[in-house]
Each structure stands twice: as C-alpha cells, then as structure tokens.
Amino acid sequence: MTTELTIGQLAKDVGVNIETIRYYERRSLLDPTSRLPSGYRLYNSEAQRRLRFIKNAQALGFTLHEIEELLGLRVSSKARCRDVQQRAEAKLKHVEAKLRDLQSLARALRSLLQDCRAGQPTDRCPILKAMEDEKHEKGRTVRKEVN
Amino acid sequence: MTTELTIGQLAKDVGVNIETIRYYERRSLLDPTSRLPSGYRLYNSEAQRRLRFIKNAQALGFTLHEIEELLGLRVSSKARCRDVQQRAEAKLKHVEAKLRDLQSLARALRSLLQDCRAGQPTDRCPILKAMEDEKHEKGRTVRKEVN
DNA sequence: CTTGACCCCGTACTATGGTACAGGGTGTAT
DNA sequence: ATACACCCTGTACCATAGTACGGGGTCAAG
C-alpha cells in the first residue's frame, strides 16, 4: 500500500505546480482520492498515475479537453482501443499539417533572409517589402489550426 | 488617388473582421487615416497596406507584439534592415526549433500507432499504456528514437 | 505554545487574438 | 420620412492553460 501524498508532495513528485493540480481538479481531470478532516487533499498512486497520464498526453500534443475524453475512454477499456487509435491518428494528421505549415514558413523566412543578405543592407528591406506585398497567399500556407 | 474606405469596406477588402480592425487600433497597430464628422473611420491605401502587412507578418508566424516592433522599425527604414534581418533570423531559429519538436511528436505518435495496429485491438491499448508510463519525461519529451 | 511550513477556498490576473453585445447615431435610397 | 445598412463607443466575453494572492486553518517540531 503506497503512502498517500498531500498535494504538495504529489506536485513535487510529478513535477507540476500545486496550483496546476487544483486547476485540473476544477477541470474535473483529477480528483483527490480522499481528504483529511482538515480538508487536506490526499492522493494515492492511482491519482499519481492519472496525473502522469495527463502530462504525458499533453506532451503528445493533446489538449486538456482531448485528454478529458481520453480519460473517459480509458474507463471501460473494452474495444475502446480503436477509439483511442482514431484519436491518435487524427492528432497525427493534425501535427503533420502543422508541420507542413511551419516548413513553408521556414522556407519563406529563409528565402527572405537570402534576399536580404544578397541585397544592399541599407536599401529598402526585402523582408519588409515582402510582407507588404500580399504574396503569402492564405491558401495552404500557414492556416490557423482548428481542432 | 484611391478612394478612402470605411472600416467595413476595408475589412471586406483585406478579408478580416471589422472588430479585428478596431482591435488593432486598440493595440495601436493601425489607426484610421481620418474620421468623418460623424466619427466614421476612414482608411487610405497606406492603411490598407499596413493592414495587409500585419496579416502577412502574422502568416509568417510573427505575433502581434513582434509586428508592432516591426512596424516601429519600418518607420525610419534607413540602416534598419539589419534589425529586421536579425528579427527574422531569430524567428527562423524559433520556427526551426518548433519544427523539431513537432517532428519528434509526430514520430512518437507514429510509433504508438504502429504498436497499436500490431497488437490485438481489444486488449489493453498500447497508446494508453504508453501514456500511463512515465517514459515521456519532460526534458525533450516524447521522442522514442532519434533522427 | 509558538513558529514555520504547509494547506484550504475563492477570486482575480496573466498572455494571445480576437468576438459579441448593448444602446445608440448616421447615410442613403425609395 | 422611414426603413435599413452601416457605423460609433464601451464593456464583457471566448478559449487555453495555467499562476498569483488574500485571508485564513493545520500540522509537527522545538
């Protein structure tokens, strides 16, 4: 039986801010296992695992909202793997789209810098000029990701 | 001499929300060229260019704060090209770092999905299991194998 | 029994980039 | 002259993911 941790101990253990844990509780992501008569929150190792799950899923690019759903799925794990898989696939697509946007952004910046270094430095700056023109079409470049 | 536009015309022309233009004004990014006695804002082609500049710079990944600085630089363009260049370089580095993060994130998701398809679908989901483990630690998180 | 570290709750604030009213005035066409 | 689209200001609100703070209670050591 693992010792139950206070909020401060849990925070230190997992490496998050105390306030963050309370914030997750407000978001219904992580409830304390129990409370002392004084009201102090106590967390067991299951809660600890859950908090780590949240942090890991976040590191994988999931938002807290998505994590909430994931945690819901996790409860009854039968045949739910497909759901999780689908979400992970969607997330991957999303990440890949963002990757493409950033790559085109990097290319644009690089070519701008090329021009800039080639051109006369005190003259009209090519970067500013480029940004004044409407060259960077809003079509496939850099669109704002929407979940 | 281009006709001056009202806020609604400008919004339609550039393709942004009216409120966004007023928001930029609050942020001191874009002032109307003049006002009618009624208070109606009027914008000339210079303002129009400035708004486009903002949108293009945004599309290049600059925040409104950075754009504010860029616009400041633009005022007296003499010998400022170096400044702009430096900012663009910093931004490029930033973008490249983000690109690396996203790439490792995509790799992690892909490898998780690999495991998932290989494993038996109704069993314990490998993705969920992976997220429960503390493998992905906060350092440079989420990357299983490198490059 | 007091000190200090820890915890409680509730609320407000941060940054980012807007969007949405409410309650009014204006411009113009019919 | 009246409908209707458009504009004004000011304020509040949205999502996201927390962080900070005030004013108090609690726990353990000395």
Side-chain angles (χ1 to χ4, degrees):
Chain A
M1 203 135 278
T2 324
T3 326
E4 305 223 302
L5 304 174
T6 64
I7 194 170
Q9 290 164 339
L10 177 64
K12 187 163 295 175
D13 192 280
V14 179
V16 302
N17 193 310
I18 286 180
E19 301 295 340
T20 301
I21 296 175
R22 285 202 263 255
Y23 173 68
Y24 289 167
E25 190 176 334
R26 283 204 294 285
R27 299 263 320 230
S28 300
L29 286 170
L30 180 68
D31 281 320
T33 313
S34 61
R35 296 260 192 164
L36 288 179
S38 57
Y40 281 29
R41 291 165 177 84
L42 290 178
Y43 300 89
N44 63 14
S45 58
E46 169 59 29
Q48 205 172 339
R49 230 180 8 240
R50 196 176 166 100
L51 179 53
R52 261 194 261 274
F53 177 96
I54 295 170
K55 283 290 145 194
N56 287 326
Q58 234 176 358
L60 283 171
F62 291 91
T63 65
L64 288 184
H65 179 71
E66 290 167 327
I67 291 167
E68 209 177 319
E69 296 176 336
L70 248 20
L71 285 166
L73 290 180
R74 210 186 47 154
V75 175
S76 66
S77 69
K78 200 110 180 139
R80 301 304 182 117
C81 188
R82 280 224 87 70
D83 294 349
V84 176
Q85 191 184 326
Q86 271 171 20
R87 278 164 212 270
E89 264 157 11
K91 181 53 65 179
L92 177 57
K93 282 212 192 334
H94 188 118
V95 168
E96 283 168 341
K98 192 154 186 176
L99 221 33
R100 280 191 298 276
D101 285 351
L102 275 181
Q103 260 147 6
S104 83
L105 169 50
R107 266 196 304 276
L109 281 171
R110 269 183 224 113
S111 100
L112 247 30
L113 282 167
Q114 273 276 314
D115 296 353
C116 198
R117 284 189 275 257
Q120 48 273 41
T122 51
D123 201 354
R124 294 269 293 137
C125 177
I127 293 180
L128 292 177
K129 247 157 67 182
M131 283 193 283
E132 277 167 22
D133 301 341
E134 63 222 286
K135 267 210 305 214
H136 311 285
E137 72 281 20
K138 45 220 69 195
R140 337 130 333 207
T141 336
V142 185
R143 88 218 113 195
K144 268 207 180 262
E145 87 248 53
V146 183
N147 281 335
Chain B
M1 203 136 283
T2 325
T3 326
E4 304 223 303
L5 304 174
T6 63
I7 193 169
Q9 290 164 339
L10 177 63
K12 187 165 293 175
D13 191 282
V14 179
V16 302
N17 193 309
I18 286 179
E19 301 295 340
T20 301
I21 296 175
R22 286 202 264 254
Y23 172 68
Y24 289 167
E25 190 176 336
R26 283 205 293 289
R27 298 267 315 234
S28 301
L29 285 170
L30 180 70
D31 281 319
T33 313
S34 61
R35 297 260 191 164
L36 287 179
S38 58
Y40 281 29
R41 291 166 178 82
L42 290 177
Y43 299 88
N44 63 14
S45 59
E46 168 60 28
Q48 205 172 339
R49 226 179 13 239
R50 195 176 166 100
L51 179 53
R52 258 195 261 277
F53 177 95
I54 293 169
K55 282 291 146 193
N56 287 326
Q58 233 176 0
L60 284 172
F62 291 91
T63 66
L64 289 184
H65 179 72
E66 290 167 327
I67 291 167
E68 207 178 321
E69 295 177 336
L70 248 21
L71 285 166
L73 290 179
R74 209 185 47 155
V75 175
S76 65
S77 68
K78 203 122 180 120
R80 301 305 182 115
C81 186
R82 282 225 86 71
D83 294 348
V84 176
Q85 191 183 324
Q86 271 172 21
R87 276 165 215 273
E89 265 158 10
K91 179 55 62 176
L92 178 57
K93 281 210 192 337
H94 190 118
V95 168
E96 283 169 340
K98 192 152 190 173
L99 221 33
R100 280 192 297 277
D101 286 353
L102 277 181
Q103 260 147 5
S104 81
L105 172 50
R107 267 197 302 277
L109 280 170
R110 267 181 226 117
S111 106
L112 247 28
L113 282 166
Q114 272 277 313
D115 297 351
C116 198
R117 292 195 196 94
Q120 50 275 38
T122 51
D123 202 355
R124 292 269 292 139
C125 178
I127 294 180
L128 293 177
K129 250 160 59 183
M131 285 194 282
E132 277 168 20
D133 298 343
E134 61 223 286
K135 266 202 305 208
H136 314 285
E137 34 211 281
K138 52 218 67 179
R140 298 111 337 164
T141 329
V142 187
R143 77 36 173 43
K144 257 193 148 159
E145 90 252 351
V146 205
N147 309 324

